[in-house]
Amino acid sequence: PQSAEIIVVHDAARPLASAGLFTLVLEALADGADGAIPVLPIPDTVKRLEGERVAATIDRSGLVLAQTPQAFLSRSLRTAHQGWIDSTDDASLVEAAGGTVVAVPGEPQNLKLTTPADLEVLEALASRYKLR
């Protein structure tokens, strides 16, 4: 609704986000940011390819993997959507509009289901956390 002061965007492909993670992104908005996203450090070495040839090893310090839920001040998110650009998430829209997006610690179990192998991992985690 237009009266909402905060909007939380969550990817349904991430069914294991905890209630605590929602709390973290909401609390991060209290310090004046336009948005807050959970992130994880990149554990693997990152390579840039040119065709099949490895062209470079990328310094991963400062790089993170973004997750959802992502929380935003509604006015910031609505403004960002008016200047629509090609993006992969709402945080990048807010960033492109000049908003401040802060990071909070993500959750490793908050994996994104994109392949059949991901579903196998989810089923194992669901059994572990008694989610089935």
Side-chain angles (χ1 to χ4, degrees), residues 1-122:
Q2 289 298 319
S3 62
E5 294 181 19
I6 294 174
I7 298 172
V8 178
V9 179
H10 184 57
D11 191 345
R14 292 185 185 273
L16 296 181
S18 72
L21 191 56
F22 281 84
T23 299
L24 277 178
V25 294
L26 290 169
E27 287 176 345
L29 294 180
D31 292 331
D34 296 292
I37 64 172
V39 301
L40 292 175
I42 297 175
D44 297 323
T45 298
V46 178
K47 303 284 187 179
R48 186 175 52 78
L49 299 179
E50 291 177 3
E52 294 180 7
R53 182 179 152 273
V54 175
T57 300
I58 309 300
D59 178 8
R60 66 181 181 228
S61 61
L63 298 178
V64 294
L65 301 171
Q67 299 181 320
T68 63
Q70 299 180 354
F72 304 95
L73 298 178
S74 62
R75 69 178 181 276
S76 299
L77 186 59
R78 292 181 201 281
T79 298
H81 273 269
Q82 291 174 359
W84 183 263
I85 60 168
D86 189 25
S87 67
T88 59
D89 71 351
D90 288 280
S92 61
L93 292 174
V94 172
E95 294 161 29
T100 301
V101 178
V102 297
V104 301
E107 297 174 337
Q109 74 275 13
N110 186 23
L111 63 99
K112 187 174 183 180
L113 299 175
T114 54
T115 68
D118 295 336
L119 187 55
E120 291 177 25
V121 173
L122 172 70

Side-chain angles (χ1 to χ4, degrees), residues 15-16 109 121-132:
L16 296 181
Q109 74 275 13
V121 173
L122 172 70
E123 289 172 343
L125 287 170
S127 292
R128 178 177 176 192
Y129 292 105
K130 300 180 190 301
L131 298 175
R132 299 204 289 172

